Amino acid sequence: MKLTRNLWFESVAVAQQRAKRRLPKSVYRALIAGSEAGVTLADNVAAFGELGFAPHVGGAPPHRDMTTTVMGQEISLPVLISPTGVQSVHPDGEVAVARAAAARSTAMGLSSFASKPIEEVVAANPQTFFQLYWAGGRDQIAARIERARAAGARGLIVTLDWTFSHSRDWGSPWIPDKVDVKAMLRMAPEAIARPQWSADWIRAGGPPDLTAPNVVARGEPAPTFFGAYGEWMMTPPPSWEDLRWLREQWDGPFMLKGVIRADDARRALDAGFTAISVSNHGGNNVDGTPASIRALPAIADAVGDQIEVLLDGGIRRGGDVVKALALGARAVMIGRAYLWGLGAAGQAGVENVLDIMRAGIESALLGLGHASTAALTPDDVIVPPGFSFRG
Ligand SMILES: Cc1cc2nc3c(=O)[nH]c(=O)nc-3n(C[C@H](O)[C@H](O)[C@H](O)COP(=O)(O)O)c2cc1C
C-alpha cells in the first residue's frame, strides 16, 4: 500500500510553519527578508489586525462574485502573484507558481531576478506581467522589454522602492554568488538537515544555479544573481523623465510598484502608467515606512478613479484582501503568502494559498452581506483613529 502524505494546509500561517520545516534555514530566512529593525515588515501585517469588520446578519445574497480585471486581464479573484526574485525555494520555481496561478485563473508578476526564463513562465501562464528594475543603460532596459514583448507578456511592472539597505537586526542569510564545490560544502549541513528539499533538487538534476536569465536578451548567457544585482546597484536611480521614457517603450498596460505617497501616485498618473501598487516592497524599503494599507486610503482618494490602484504588503488571509478592497484597492498582490505555499508543497501549495484567499474573501463577503467585491465600501471596515497615513 502506497502512503501519500496530505500536504493540504488550512492557513498561510500553517504553510509558513511547513516551509520553515522543509526549507534550509538560509533559504527560509531569505524569504523573511525585511530591512533594519523590521518595523515596516511587522507593521504591514499588524496594521491589518487593527482594522475591524462591521458584519450584517440576515438578508445576505446567495452567491458572491469576486471576478475582476487588472491591467486588461480578467481574473477569477482579486489576488495576483507579486513578483519575487527568489531562487532555490523549489526546482520548478516561477513555472510552478505560474501553473498554480493559471489553475486558479489569476495573473502573475515575474521578477527580473526570477530563476526561470520568461518564455517558460508565459507558456505556463499567459497572464504574465514582467517586472523591471531600473538597472543598466536605456539600451539594456529596452532589450529586456523587447524580450518580454516577444515572449508574450501582457504587461510590465516597474518596481522603484528598493534602497539597497542590507542591515538586519536578526542577521542576513549567507547566499553564494555561484554554487561551486566550496559553496556546496558550506551549504551541506543545512541541505542534509532538509532531506525532502535536497531530494527534490537531486531529482531535478542538481543544485540551483542562482542566475538571473531574464535580465539579458534571449539566448545570451545569464549573469549570476549578484552580477545582476551589482549592475542595478551601480545604476543611478531614474528621474521622472526616465520613467516617462520607460512608459513610452511599452504600448500596453504598465504598473508602477512601490508608491506610498499620494503625490507620487499623481506623478505616476501624469507619467501615463496604467496602474500603481501601493507597496513598501514587503517591508524591504526604508524601514519605518508605514504599512501599505495605512497609505492606501489617501492614495485611493487622490487617484483611485483615474488609475488602477493595487496594494501589496502583509496580505495573509482573504479578510485582508477584503479590507484592502473596502479601502479603495482594485485588487491585491501577494508575496510571502505564496512563497510559503511554494516552499511547503510546490505548485499545489501555491494553489492551496490562492484557495485560502478565495475562501476567506467569500466568508468576509458573506458576513458583510455583499453579492460582490465591487459592493465593498469603507463603511464595511472599522478604522481606528490615527490609522491612515496621508502622504
Ligand atoms: C523574498 C522576497 C523577494 C522579493 N523580490 C522582489 C522582486 O524581485 N521584485 C519586486 O518587484 N518585488 C519583490 N519583492 C516584493 C514583493 O513583490 C511584494 O511587494 C511583497 O512581498 C509584498 O509583501 P508580502 O510579502 O507581505 O505579501 C520581494 C519580496 C520578498 C519577500
Side-chain angles (χ1 to χ4, degrees):
M1 190 179 72
K2 190 176 170 212
L3 286 178
T4 46
R5 286 195 327 126
N6 181 5
L7 294 176
W8 181 85
F9 43 82
E10 67 185 274
S11 66
V12 170
V14 174
Q16 178 171 357
Q17 291 158 20
R18 299 248 180 104
K20 188 174 185 181
R21 282 202 300 270
R22 204 166 191 280
L23 298 172
K25 204 169 160 192
S26 44
V27 177
Y28 175 78
R29 287 170 70 209
L31 305 190
I32 295 277
S35 56
E36 302 269 335
V39 171
T40 303
L41 177 68
D43 194 38
N44 272 350
V45 174
F48 278 105
E50 289 175 29
L51 294 171
F53 280 122
H56 286 286
V57 286
H63 303 292
R64 286 153 288 279
D65 176 23
M66 62 181 85
T67 57
T68 188
T69 61
V70 169
M71 300 220 295
Q73 299 305 306
E74 285 181 17
I75 51 178
S76 73
L77 77 172
V79 179
L80 295 85
I81 298 292
S82 207
T84 58
V86 287
Q87 316 252 344
S88 333
V89 176
H90 190 278
D92 295 336
E94 298 80 9
V95 172
V97 178
R99 285 190 192 124
R104 295 300 182 265
S105 298
T106 194
M108 136 142 199
L110 177 70
S111 167
S112 274
F113 289 147
S115 61
K116 298 285 182 192
I118 184 168
E119 294 77 15
E120 283 180 33
V121 173
V122 174
N125 186 354
Q127 294 190 301
T128 295
F129 305 137
F130 182 60
Q131 179 262 320
L132 296 157
Y133 287 116
W134 187 260
R138 284 189 176 190
D139 287 353
Q140 286 164 287
I141 295 169
R144 282 173 208 138
I145 294 177
E146 195 38 53
R147 178 168 172 186
R149 195 190 325 271
R154 299 272 170 91
L156 293 184
I157 299 173
V158 58
T159 300
L160 296 178
D161 59 345
W162 182 264
T163 44
F164 303 99
S165 158
H166 298 111
S167 157
R168 295 187 179 107
D169 290 0
W170 52 97
S172 296
W174 178 75
I175 303 171
D177 183 38
K178 58 178 187 296
V179 186
D180 53 14
V181 175
K182 212 168 130 206
M184 289 203 324
L185 284 174
R186 183 162 171 183
M187 284 293 292
E190 283 195 34
I192 289 165
R194 294 292 185 269
Q196 286 175 337
W197 178 88
S198 303
D200 284 349
W201 284 96
I202 290 165
R203 268 195 299 275
D209 71 359
L210 304 184
T211 59
N214 296 307
V215 299
V216 288
R218 192 176 181 189
E220 280 180 22
T224 62
F225 170 80
F226 281 112
Y229 190 85
E231 176 188 61
W232 176 28
M233 217 169 163
M234 301 307 290
T235 307
S239 62
W240 279 98
E241 184 46 43
D242 290 323
L243 295 170
R244 273 188 287 276
W245 169 85
L246 184 64
R247 178 66 189 101
E248 283 164 13
Q249 304 311 301
W250 179 262
D251 51 13
F254 208 142
M255 179 193 296
L256 192 152
K257 176 170 176 281
V259 176
I260 215 81
R261 304 177 53 114
D263 50 4
D264 283 346
R266 281 191 212 95
R267 287 187 187 103
L269 176 67
D270 293 345
F273 286 93
T274 324
I276 53 173
S277 192
V278 179
S279 169
N280 49 43
H281 213 115
N284 292 305
N285 194 0
V286 186
D287 197 28
T289 304
S292 39
I293 189 69
R294 296 189 196 280
L296 175 67
I299 292 178
D301 275 358
V303 296
D305 52 348
Q306 298 164 78
I307 194 168
E308 292 183 11
V309 176
L310 283 84
L311 169 138
D312 68 79
I315 301 280
R316 300 291 182 270
R317 56 193 82 247
D320 297 339
V321 180
V322 168
K323 288 172 182 174
L325 267 54
L327 294 183
R330 184 182 186 93
V332 304
M333 301 201 291
I334 54 172
R336 292 179 186 81
Y338 79 83
L339 292 172
W340 303 139
L342 182 69
Q347 177 186 339
V350 180
E351 290 171 5
N352 194 155
V353 166
L354 289 168
D355 292 344
I356 289 168
M357 294 292 162
R358 186 186 300 279
I361 297 169
E362 179 85 35
S363 161
L365 286 178
L366 173 61
L368 295 167
H370 289 311
S372 78
T373 43
L376 290 162
T377 73
D379 285 347
D380 292 307
V381 175
I382 304 163
V383 183
F387 177 84
S388 300
F389 161 69
R390 306 200 73 83

